[in-house]
Amino acid sequence: MNAHRLSRRDFLRASATGGTAAVYALCTQHSSAFATQQPRSANSLLGVGAIGLRYQGTVDTEKARMYGNIVACCDVDRHVREQARASFGSTPFISEDYREVLQRKDVDLVIIGTPDHWHSKILIDACRAGKDVYCEKPLTLTIDEGKRIRDVVRETGRVVQVGSWQRSDSRFRLAVEMVRQGRIGKLKEVEVILGKNEQGGPFDSTPVPKHLNWNLWQGQTVEVPYIAERSHYTFRWWLEYSGGQMTDWGAHHIDIAQWAIDSHPVAIEGAAVFPVDDGTRYNVPRDYKVQYRYANDVVMTVLDNGRNGITFVGTDGKLFVNRGTIAGKAVDELAQNPLPREKFQVYQDNFERPERAGKLDAIVNHMGNFFDCVQSRQMPVSDVESQHRSVSTCHLGNIALKLGRPLAWDPGKEEFVGDAEANSFVSRPQRKGFEVV
C-alpha cells in the first residue's frame, strides 16, 4: 500500500479500529507479521476445514466452497458432521475433535461456526497451528478473550475475518459512508433496535443423546446436566454460552453503528429485569435498554422494541438502515449529489466485486473478501481489532444490564474506572482443560 494515499474506503475501514492511530497502523501493518508471509498464488485452491456445522456454520462453509475445497468437517454432534460430509461430498475427513482438523496439512484455513463460547479457543489454537480463520460472530464470550485474540493474531500474522457480514452489504456500507461524510450533518445520536430476548423454561434435564459429546459441547463453561434447550440454536438465550440479542444481533447492528460513530464508549447505563436463574430456564432478560456515551459525545441507545435496524440522527437529518432498507433525505438526494468515487489502486479495497445487498449475497462478498486477503496477506474488512471493539461494546451493555447502575469505561486501558465489581465481569472462570490461553 502507498502510505501517502488512503482511499475513502481504506480510511473508513481503518478508522473503525480507532481513528487516526488506526489509519497509521493500516499504512504500516505489512511491515510486521503479515509481511513475513508471501502472498499465495491466485490460482491455488485452498483446503478448508469446517468446525461447527449447525445452522450458520453450514451457510459459511457452503459460501467458502465457492473459493476452496472442503477437506475436513468437525462437529461434536455425530448427526451434524455426518450430514455435513454428505452435503460437501464423500471425501472430507470428519471428526468430533477440532484439534484433529488443525493437525491436517491439507487444511489451509478453518471456518468456525460453533456456539459463541468456543470461538476464542478454537480461533487461537488455529492461528498457532498456522491456519487462517473465518470465525462466526460474536467474536468472543468475554472482553478479556478479545484482548488475547488480538495478541495472538499479531504474534502469528494469520488472516482472521469475523462473520459480521453486514460490513460487506452495500446498504450498510453506504450508510456508514454517508454518516462519515457528513451527509446528515454532525452525528449526535444513534438508535439501535435489536429485538427482545426469548424467555422459556423451566426445562427438564434428559439423558445425553448418544450422538452428542456433551462434555465437548460445554467446553470452558461450568459442567451442568444436559438440557436439550441449552444446545444448538437456543444456546444464545443462556448467558453461560452467549449474550442474547446484545451479542447476537448486536454483533451486527452495534458494529455498524460504532463503525459510523468512529469512537469508543466511555459511559454505559442499562436497565433490565432478569428471570429467575435456577439453571433450568433461559436467563437473559426479555426487556432491556442500554445507553452509551462515546468519547466524541455521540449517544447510542440500544432497545429491545421497535423496527429492527439503526437510525442515525445528525444536525441536518436522519438516516435509517436495516437489512431491507436504507432511507432518509440524504439517500433521496444521492441522485443529484452522489458520493465521490475514487479509482482504487489498492488490492486491499477488494470491493471491486458487484455490490450486493441481502444476507446470502453479502456473505458471498464477505467470504470472498476473506479469501482475497488470505491470498494477499492483507487485513479483511471485519478484522480482529474492530470486531473485538464492537463485541466489547456488546459485552459492556450486558454488564451494565447485570449491575443495573452507571458504569465508566476506559477504552484505552480496556477496564472499568475504579469499579472492581464491574471489572470482575471482563473475564470468566474457565473449566479445567478448556481454558483460552
Side-chain angles (χ1 to χ4, degrees), residues 36-190:
T36 65
Q37 302 178 41
Q38 294 299 314
R40 295 177 180 270
S41 164
N43 296 320
S44 63
L45 211 54
L46 300 168
V48 178
I51 303 170
L53 283 147
R54 184 90 174 196
Y55 301 108
Q56 191 62 31
T58 297
V59 173
D60 293 339
T61 304
E62 179 62 34
K63 301 312 174 189
R65 198 179 189 183
M66 300 173 63
Y67 307 103
N69 288 326
I70 312 303
V71 299
C73 295
C74 173
D75 200 284
V76 298
D77 186 322
R78 175 168 47 84
H79 288 175
V80 173
R81 64 179 178 268
E82 289 180 351
Q83 179 59 49
R85 181 163 62 181
S87 298
F88 297 113
S90 60
T91 57
F93 167 82
I94 63 171
S95 174
E96 73 172 12
D97 190 335
Y98 75 92
R99 293 171 295 185
E100 293 185 350
V101 174
L102 300 185
Q103 291 168 0
R104 294 184 64 87
K105 293 183 178 179
D106 59 348
V107 172
D108 297 299
L109 59 90
V110 296
I111 310 293
I112 301 174
T114 64
D116 305 356
H117 63 287
W118 264 109
H119 289 176
S120 296
K121 182 167 179 58
I122 297 175
L123 189 159
I124 287 173
D125 289 351
C127 288
R128 287 180 172 149
K131 314 300 183 185
D132 298 316
V133 179
Y134 183 105
C135 181
E136 255 311 312
K137 62 81 197 167
L139 177 61
T140 63
L141 186 66
T142 68
I143 294 171
D144 192 61
E145 286 182 0
K147 294 189 281 187
R148 190 74 194 105
I149 288 173
R150 177 175 58 201
D151 291 344
V152 171
V153 171
R154 286 174 178 169
E155 292 165 8
T156 61
R158 304 318 306 177
V159 172
V160 178
Q161 173 88 298
V162 182
S164 297
W165 58 262
Q166 288 184 175
R167 287 191 169 218
S168 296
D169 179 286
S170 60
R171 293 190 190 97
F172 290 100
R173 288 180 63 84
L174 177 60
V176 172
E177 292 176 10
M178 293 180 71
V179 171
R180 294 291 299 276
Q181 288 198 18
R183 292 300 179 96
I184 60 171
K186 181 176 175 57
L187 183 63
K188 304 296 288 184
E189 299 175 9
V190 182

Side-chain angles (χ1 to χ4, degrees), residues 412-430:
K413 294 180 179 180
E414 295 187 79
E415 63 183 32
F416 291 98
V417 179
D419 195 328
E421 183 184 20
N423 280 319
S424 71
F425 290 98
V426 171
S427 62
R428 299 187 190 183
Q430 298 174 343

Side-chain angles (χ1 to χ4, degrees), residues 14-34:
S15 60
T17 64
T20 305
V23 175
Y24 175 78
L26 180 59
C27 295
T28 60
Q29 69 177 29
H30 302 306
S31 64
S32 58
F34 283 90

Side-chain angles (χ1 to χ4, degrees), residues 267-285:
I268 312 98
E269 187 169 2
V273 177
F274 284 80
V276 174
D277 188 4
D278 61 4
T280 71
R281 64 192 80 207
Y282 301 148
N283 55 14
V284 290

Side-chain angles (χ1 to χ4, degrees), residues 383-394:
D383 63 288
V384 160
E385 175 65 17
S386 68
Q387 296 306 302
H388 160 55
R389 292 292 187 163
S390 291
V391 77
S392 289
T393 300
C394 301

